[in-house]
Amino acid sequence: MTTQQDIGDAAATAEDPYAAIGELGTAPLWRYYGSVLPKQPEPRAVPYLWRYAALRPYLLRFLEELSLEEAERRVLMLLNPALQDPPATTTTLYAGLQIIGPGETAQAHRHTSNAFRYVIEGSGAYTTVNGERVHMHPGDLLLTPNWHWHDHYHEGDDPMVWLDALDYPLTTNCLDVNFFELYGERSQKSSVPDDLSSRQFIHGQLSPAWEVAHTEASPVGNYPWAETRRAFDAIADDAVGTEAEGILLEYKNPITGGPVLPTMGCRVSRLRPGFRGAAVRRTSSAIYHVVHGSGVAQVGDVQLDWNEKDVFAVPPWHRFELRNDSDTEDAFLFSFTNEPVLRALGFFREDLPDASGAS
Ligand code: 1HN
């Protein structure tokens, strides 16, 4: 029988007390300070850019070769080279490119993860979100918040491609809180007038008084590009804009005035010809999609040359600088971040590092 005395003696005489405490499921904090409390964020994600021109032919090939019955969703995940398993685009954000062909249905399901789509090309598809059909056009932002049923249907003539965004790296990889459910039937029936939520809230200064918040997410199904364009045109050259990201507009939850989703905030910026942004550094991570134009993003030590429809990832606490390289054309960048999560928890920080600032 092992006595307390024996155990005490073993501890006192163990040749390698570190190995011994390891076997007891512990570790000495004094060897871990640097990794549990780094002086500043040490993100695992790296800056990276995905070229749309290179990926599009593969989307078209899988459209030919793989049915939606087989694939469920026909999506190329945009994986950060440093985050392959579990797969993610930044530590808390995911983006992918989804393609759907004429006549196809992506069956209805729901999950805890908040999601949205940003339409890249094609028209004639709609997503049904909790019974509301929401029609898509290039540049539209469509929300499918936490636990909302959603299925996609394409009644147009040409393939449609959109950027999917989800917070599953946060809900699944970090918090272990995701639930998933199939609806049972392939598509939901329409139960409210098409695009009603967008039409009701589109005139931001006049909101429907009978609508109250049901969730933290915005009740708006679609933020159409036509309105985004009008918002930019209305301010034209009169706006001062931001130093780092030019004329930067934020998509809002019209009921709370907050971000569109509790975990992801969405913005769109217009960079005037020749725009050179001030350097900025934030604790949030971000994913950018080039709606129009071409330019450069300097992210830490990495230079990302972006062209139309490309996607790029900006990890936390990297020095970040944007440039529009054209002297004649505006550039438009759509972006999303985990800033709402950080702000809610008191973790958001931002600064303008000096010109020589480390990444
Ligand atoms: C999902 O549900 C969709 O509904 C797209 O279209 C991409 C990526 C990961 C997990 C769920 C969709 C997804 C996804």
Side-chain angles (χ1 to χ4, degrees):
M1 202 182 86
T2 312
T3 66
Q4 277 303 321
Q5 182 68 44
D6 295 336
I7 296 170
D9 289 349
T13 59
E15 212 162 288
D16 183 352
Y18 287 96
I21 60 170
E23 277 170 29
L24 294 169
T26 71
L29 174 61
W30 58 92
R31 287 191 173 177
Y32 283 84
Y33 285 127
S35 57
V36 301
L37 300 173
K39 285 209 169 66
Q40 57 177 25
E42 293 174 0
R44 276 159 290 154
V46 296
Y48 197 76
L49 180 135
W50 293 265
R51 292 210 180 282
Y52 190 73
L55 292 170
R56 187 175 187 275
Y58 289 97
L59 287 166
L60 291 170
R61 176 159 175 191
F62 284 114
L63 179 66
E64 289 299 313
E65 294 182 1
L66 184 74
S67 74
L68 273 196
E69 284 69 26
E70 292 169 276
E72 179 83 26
R73 301 288 196 259
R74 197 185 290 100
V75 180
L76 298 185
M77 306 169 82
L78 304 181
L79 296 193
N80 195 285
L83 302 173
Q84 305 275 315
D85 186 21
T89 311
T90 72
T91 315
T92 59
L93 301 173
Y94 158 88
L97 295 172
Q98 177 160 178
I99 187 165
I100 183 167
E104 287 191 319
T105 310
Q107 73 168 326
H109 68 207
R110 63 179 175 180
H111 36 70
T112 305
S113 274
N114 292 282
F116 68 78
R117 315 188 193 280
Y118 190 85
V119 182
I120 297 179
E121 60 172 290
S123 63
Y126 61 79
T127 295
T128 307
V129 183
N130 278 359
E132 181 187 335
R133 287 181 179 165
V134 185
H135 288 84
M136 306 182 180
H137 306 92
D140 291 1
L141 168 66
L142 285 85
L143 306 182
T144 52
N146 170 356
W147 215 234
H148 283 47
W149 294 113
H150 54 285
D151 52 83
H152 316 308
Y153 179 65
H154 188 12
E155 50 190 8
D157 300 324
D158 299 310
M160 280 207 65
V161 181
W162 60 75
L163 184 78
D164 286 312
L166 282 91
D167 61 12
Y168 84 73
L170 177 70
T171 58
T172 303
N173 303 353
C174 302
L175 299 175
D176 288 327
V177 293
N178 194 70
F179 294 85
F180 173 88
E181 205 168 62
L182 285 175
Y183 184 66
E185 290 160 64
R186 210 161 160 79
S187 309
Q188 299 169 70
K189 303 232 172 345
S190 160
S191 61
V192 291
D194 287 9
D195 301 297
L196 180 63
S197 64
S198 296
R199 290 186 283 120
Q200 283 195 150
F201 283 105
I202 208 84
H203 306 286
Q205 296 180 343
L206 291 167
S207 275
W210 59 92
E211 292 287 351
V212 294
H214 297 290
T215 69
E216 288 109 335
S218 165
V220 175
N222 186 5
Y223 293 77
W225 176 256
E227 292 298 322
T228 306
R229 188 67 229 204
R230 283 175 54 170
F232 280 121
D233 289 346
I235 48 183
D237 287 324
D238 300 329
V240 180
T242 66
E243 275 185 79
E245 300 195 57
I247 313 294
L248 181 65
L249 302 179
E250 178 144 348
Y251 295 88
K252 291 284 186 191
N253 175 334
I255 295 187
T256 63
V260 291
L261 294 166
T263 51
M264 294 186 283
C266 295
R267 297 184 178 128
V268 58
S269 69
R270 178 184 204 161
L271 309 181
R272 290 311 220 170
F275 175 82
R276 278 179 170 40
V280 66
R281 186 168 58 168
R282 304 178 174 122
T283 50
S284 49
S285 59
I287 295 172
Y288 285 76
H289 162 70
V290 184
V291 181
H292 180 77
S294 59
V296 173
Q298 183 71 38
V299 188
D301 299 334
V302 180
Q303 178 176 319
L304 304 173
D305 297 305
W306 43 265
N307 288 297
E308 193 152 310
K309 299 185 170 57
D310 290 348
V311 180
F312 58 92
V314 180
W317 217 240
H318 279 55
R319 187 171 193 275
F320 174 58
E321 240 176 317
L322 277 174
R323 252 183 19 229
N324 176 1
D325 270 350
S326 169
D327 290 329
T328 51
E329 293 225 7
D330 285 337
F332 289 94
L333 294 178
F334 170 81
S335 62
F336 65 105
T337 75
N338 62 355
E339 197 178 305
V341 177
L342 303 191
R343 283 195 184 276
L345 301 176
F347 299 147
F348 184 70
R349 275 204 210 187
E350 174 176 45
D351 69 14
L352 296 166
D354 61 35
S356 64
S359 60

